[in-house]
Amino acid sequence: MKLSTRGHYGLKAMYDLALNYNNNPVPLKSIARRQNLSNNYLEQLVAMLRKNGLVRGVRGAQGGYVLTKDPADITVGEIIRTLEGPIAPINCVSEVRTNTCQQCNYCIIHILWAQVRDSIAEVLDSTTLADMCHDTGKIQDITGTIQEV
Amino acid sequence: MKLSTRGHYGLKAMYDLALNYNNNPVPLKSIARRQNLSNNYLEQLVAMLRKNGLVRGVRGAQGGYVLTKDPADITVGEIIRTLEGPIAPINCVSEVRTNTCQQCNYCIIHILWAQVRDSIAEVLDSTTLADMCHDTGKIQDITGTIQEV
DNA sequence: TATAAAACCTAGTATTTCAGTCGGAATTAG
DNA sequence: CTAATTCCGACTGAAATACTAGGTTTTATA
């Protein structure tokens, strides 16, 4: 019942970009340094996000990445689905129907996994990057320290 | 964001045993046949459940497995944790603290994963095998068919 | 008492996924 | 021109997954 690091690292990067929204493009190198991630690996993850239209790359010197939308319009769910695929505790209870399991509709076990799926989606889809940035401010107010992630 | 087949198959087996609670011990071979699972593989999963005290093996001819507790006292959460380990979308947000991530308490991303973890646990811990058997009856009433799982 | 059914145990294995590394080509600000 | 940066594709070691295989005990029953 684990997320891979893809979703986790990718969310870190998107969160970092959200904190820098409205500033200059942010180069991956600086994200990798701040978030303590492998530059090359992060590159692959961001490529997925780019192909899915969540970020835009600015090439050349002083380039980097920027969000294509306002942080308030990007949910964590979008990010995770991009990097990890549809939310599905097991294959035949995927958000995207892939196989044809005859029993799914009337099988109590499948109904249970569907509940799990929906409760995960509920959390992820109801949180935006803007929410996270906002809450970060609150945490900083309490602790008086700057966050690393 | 996937469960392995261990949890899924193991739950199927436990559900099968719950439907046969108060009857004779159920041999794995018959469970494997009904649920369409590999006998040898299932054996390994059931061994984990046995070592965790959820089932008891009865050796010899006419032997099999029985639940050690009433189905109403066995939650799906217990079964899944036995087979898949603690519920933890990522390592530093495990139900069981394994590493020492300094930032966890005041990091917004970790707080999010903790919410995901808790929403999963809520679903799994609030469902017992007896609930599932009961609901199966309802489904059968509606469809008029016997369930395979 | 012999037999067959079953739990119990250990080892091996093919495949896939994960989490990267590496090296280079294209683009562009200064 | 140069350095910074995105972009691209191939490769890789390690781990996990989902089994298979083949044995040894144990025990109800004929």
Side-chain angles (χ1 to χ4, degrees), chain A residues 4-6 9 38 40-41 44 59-62:
Chain A
S4 71
T5 59
R6 279 202 297 278
Y9 292 180
S38 149
N40 286 346
Y41 186 41
Q44 290 175 37
R59 303 181 73 162
Q62 309 306 312

Side-chain angles (χ1 to χ4, degrees), chain B residues 4-7 10 14 28 41-56 65 78-85:
Chain B
S4 71
T5 59
R6 277 202 299 279
M14 289 294 281
L28 276 195
Y41 186 40
L42 189 55
E43 198 170 271
Q44 289 173 36
L45 306 184
V46 173
M48 298 173 78
L49 295 166
R50 181 174 49 79
K51 282 169 192 159
N52 216 47
L54 291 173
V55 301
R56 184 167 52 83
Y65 287 94
E78 281 178 86
I79 298 167
I80 297 302
R81 288 188 187 84
T82 297
L83 295 164
E84 306 259 344

Side-chain angles (χ1 to χ4, degrees), chain B:
Chain B
M1 213 55 188
K2 282 262 196 320
L3 202 75
S4 71
T5 59
R6 277 202 299 279
H8 188 199
Y9 292 0
L11 179 58
K12 280 185 171 193
M14 289 294 281
Y15 171 63
D16 196 293
L17 287 175
L19 289 174
N20 287 283
Y21 192 61
N22 287 330
N23 298 346
N24 292 328
V26 184
L28 276 195
K29 197 153 77 171
S30 73
I31 297 180
R33 189 176 352 94
R34 268 195 298 277
Q35 311 292 346
N36 195 32
L37 303 174
S38 148
N39 195 355
N40 284 349
Y41 186 40
L42 189 55
E43 198 170 271
Q44 289 173 36
L45 306 184
V46 173
M48 298 173 78
L49 295 166
R50 181 174 49 79
K51 282 169 192 159
N52 216 47
L54 291 173
V55 301
R56 184 167 52 83
V58 180
R59 303 182 73 160
Q62 311 305 313
Y65 287 94
V66 290
L67 298 180
T68 54
K69 295 189 285 188
D70 189 282
D73 295 327
I74 302 178
T75 66
V76 174
E78 281 178 86
I79 298 167
I80 297 302
R81 288 188 187 84
T82 297
L83 295 164
E84 306 259 344
I87 294 168
I90 61 174
N91 282 332
C92 54
V93 185
S94 171
E95 291 177 313
V96 176
R97 179 67 57 130
T98 52
N99 67 349
T100 53
C101 170
Q102 305 293 350
Q103 280 107 27
C104 284
N105 291 331
Y106 294 109
C107 160
I108 186 64
I109 292 190
H110 287 91
I111 291 172
L112 180 75
W113 295 134
Q115 285 174 23
V116 170
R117 177 196 65 200
D118 292 342
S119 77
I120 296 170
E122 165 63 23
V123 174
L124 300 184
D125 290 336
S126 64
T127 307
T128 68
L129 288 179
D131 294 332
M132 294 176 65
C133 294
H134 183 244
D135 290 346
T136 302
K138 283 195 290 189
I139 290 174
Q140 284 181 16
D141 289 345
I142 296 168
T143 62
T145 58
I146 295 169
Q147 281 291 302
E148 282 184 46
V149 192

